[in-house]
Amino acid sequence: MNFELTEEQEMIRQSARDYAQRELIKDVIERDTNAIYPTNHVENLKELGFFGIISDEKYGGTGLDYLSYVLAISEFSKIDSSIGVILSVHNSLAIAGIERYGNEAQKQKYLPHMTSGEKIGAFLLSEPEAGSDASSQHTTAVDKGDHYLINGTKNWITNANSGGIYLVIAQTDPEKKHHGINAFIVEKDTPGISLGPHEDKMGMRSSDTHSVMFSDVKVPKENRIGEDGFGFKFAMKMLDSGRISIAAQALGIAEGAYERALQYSKERKAFGKEISKHQSIAFKLAEMKTRIEAARNFVWKAAWEKANGKNFSMTGAMAKYYAAETAMFVTTEAVQIHGGYGYVKEYHVERLMRAAKLTQIYEGTSEIQKMVISRAILDA
């Protein structure tokens, strides 16, 4: 496997890194502290093409490969994982869901508005009683002939308020269980949709997260994605892709914390020399770097498999599991290396540690990833 990036991939990584290190860093602590949505950065990243980075050029996208996308998400997440999650949900779940499984009329109608960033996408799967168990959908979509009526509540929805296009998973025929689930494209301004309060989260506080409530929301029949009963399979396929995006976020968070810990260890002195020269700190840095390199290999391999049309379900789960564990380990060690300074906002690593925890939780906990991996092993 060739580990060298192409000129184009390196250019995308550098572009994302430059923006993150130059612009995101300026107000990231303020936005995190006060849970401020990054409106100005979102607008800038639209202009730079990151809101359509992996979509086909015929729909207004940039048309880049999946590894380029992963590189960008990681670079943004080194500084601000809120930007990482906003972009990932929009690109790898909402846009990709329509582009891969929607019909041509749906693609023509929605994708140009989404790739430009005019309409930001959200993916509505989780519910109060259906998080990891995606087959237990209590949101209903009753078939009324030429339209569906959707009722129910979705939880923990990224881009719920900023988004304009929702991909909604709902149960149409409970007797068929998961075979009766469908997926729908729903415009946010459709009558009957309301939002819960902004979630006061532990980490990634600059992204907007809300519950979304549906009360007799009328959705045209032509907005269903795929054949009747395709919704559960659709959700599972999209979660496979989503895991790579989360792995990329986790990798970036780990790299960001490691870079800060390394720099601090070369500046901070104790007992007459830089703390990096004390074996206890040097060994921490060695293990942090080793785990990051292993996580990067997982993430890049999963992205390469997806880009080349291979079955990436197991590799994606491995990448998500290991990168998230790595992010939690590295950020915790980064705080420890900083000592008391690591516990205050000014040095950034406590914020990165809070963000790392979320990568272990959403799109399935570590146990869910192990279940996906073990099934792939046993079914081989």
Side-chain angles (χ1 to χ4, degrees):
M1 184 176 176
N2 185 0
F3 287 91
E4 290 187 7
L5 299 177
T6 66
E7 184 178 342
E8 184 176 58
Q9 289 167 342
E10 188 57 57
M11 180 185 70
I12 293 299
R13 179 162 74 169
Q14 192 60 50
S15 175
R17 181 177 179 81
D18 286 347
Y19 187 85
Q21 301 284 339
R22 187 182 67 251
E23 301 297 336
L24 291 181
I25 193 66
K26 292 178 181 177
D27 59 351
V28 63
I29 293 176
E30 179 190 1
R31 287 188 288 104
D32 176 77
T33 300
N34 298 304
I36 300 170
Y37 185 75
T39 302
N40 59 322
H41 298 300
V42 166
E43 293 304 314
N44 291 338
L45 293 173
K46 289 176 185 179
E47 293 296 323
L48 292 171
F50 286 104
F51 275 79
I53 186 170
I54 50 175
S55 187
D56 196 302
E57 291 177 298
K58 69 180 179 180
Y59 302 118
T62 310
L64 297 179
D65 67 287
Y66 211 79
L67 181 53
S68 295
Y69 160 73
V70 160
L71 293 168
I73 294 296
S74 291
E75 290 297 335
F76 290 132
S77 298
K78 284 182 184 180
I79 302 298
D80 185 4
S81 54
S82 292
I83 291 291
V85 71
I86 290 168
L87 287 170
S88 356
V89 169
H90 175 73
N91 281 292
S92 72
L93 294 177
I95 284 183
I98 296 173
E99 188 162 0
R100 184 175 179 187
Y101 294 108
N103 57 43
E104 191 58 32
Q106 290 168 343
K107 295 176 188 179
Q108 293 288 348
K109 181 176 181 179
Y110 293 108
L111 289 180
H113 299 289
M114 298 175 75
T115 56
S116 68
E118 176 192 347
K119 299 282 188 179
I120 296 176
F123 191 76
L124 282 66
L125 174 63
S126 294
E127 297 185 356
E129 297 181 19
S132 299
D133 183 8
S135 63
S136 299
Q137 294 294 304
H138 293 278
T139 297
T140 59
V142 178
D143 190 338
K144 293 294 185 179
D146 64 343
H147 68 276
Y148 290 88
L149 275 185
I150 298 182
N151 285 277
T153 299
K154 295 293 184 177
N155 275 20
W156 316 117
I157 305 305
T158 298
N159 298 341
N161 187 45
S162 59
I165 304 296
Y166 293 163
L167 266 59
V168 182
I169 311 299
Q171 179 65 259
T172 298
D173 190 342
E175 291 186 1
K176 293 182 179 179
K177 299 181 179 179
H178 70 279
H179 294 295
I181 294 173
N182 279 303
F184 303 91
I185 303 169
V186 183
E187 298 181 34
K188 180 193 168 189
D189 58 3
T190 305
I193 294 177
S194 60
L195 302 185
H198 182 276
E199 300 290 355
D200 191 7
K201 299 174 295 184
M202 172 180 169
M204 300 193 191
R205 291 170 52 78
S206 193
S207 65
D208 69 297
T209 306
H210 300 256
S211 293
V212 182
M213 285 75 76
F214 296 85
S215 178
D216 286 339
V217 176
K218 186 175 179 180
V219 178
K221 202 67 166 282
E222 59 265 25
N223 280 33
R224 188 185 71 205
I225 298 175
E227 297 299 318
D228 188 24
F230 179 66
F232 179 76
K233 184 177 181 180
F234 170 81
M236 293 301 97
K237 292 291 186 182
M238 299 319 301
L239 289 180
D240 277 346
S241 297
R243 290 185 182 110
I244 302 177
S245 289
I246 296 164
Q249 293 169 49
L251 175 61
I253 291 167
E255 289 176 322
Y258 168 77
E259 289 173 5
R260 291 185 179 280
L262 177 61
Q263 180 180 354
Y264 180 82
S265 73
K266 292 179 177 180
E267 297 169 351
R268 174 72 169 174
K269 290 185 178 181
F271 304 103
K273 59 183 178 181
E274 294 83 1
I275 63 172
S276 61
K277 294 180 180 178
H278 292 282
Q279 193 175 74
S280 60
I281 299 299
F283 279 12
K284 285 183 183 294
L285 293 167
E287 186 169 5
M288 292 159 77
K289 181 65 171 176
T290 300
R291 293 197 190 197
I292 287 171
E293 288 302 314
R296 180 182 291 109
N297 287 340
F298 270 125
V299 176
W300 286 21
K301 182 182 179 184
W304 179 84
E305 286 183 348
K306 178 173 172 55
N308 285 274
K310 299 181 180 298
N311 185 346
F312 60 90
S313 181
M314 182 174 74
T315 311
M318 287 177 169
K320 196 272 185 186
Y321 163 63
Y322 191 78
E325 295 293 308
T326 296
M328 199 69 247
F329 173 82
V330 170
T331 55
T332 302
E333 290 289 73
V335 170
Q336 195 70 25
I337 288 171
H338 280 75
Y341 291 107
Y343 209 62
V344 297
K345 294 179 182 295
E346 180 184 352
Y347 286 78
H348 296 279
V349 288
E350 64 83 30
R351 176 174 52 79
L352 292 168
M353 185 174 73
R354 289 187 281 107
K357 191 60 191 175
L358 187 53
T359 68
Q360 291 182 308
I361 296 172
Y362 72 136
E363 302 291 351
T365 62
S366 296
E367 287 69 27
I368 296 296
Q369 308 315 312
K370 291 175 186 177
M371 184 174 68
V372 173
I373 296 164
S374 62
R375 283 179 176 174
I377 293 169
L378 296 173
D379 290 344

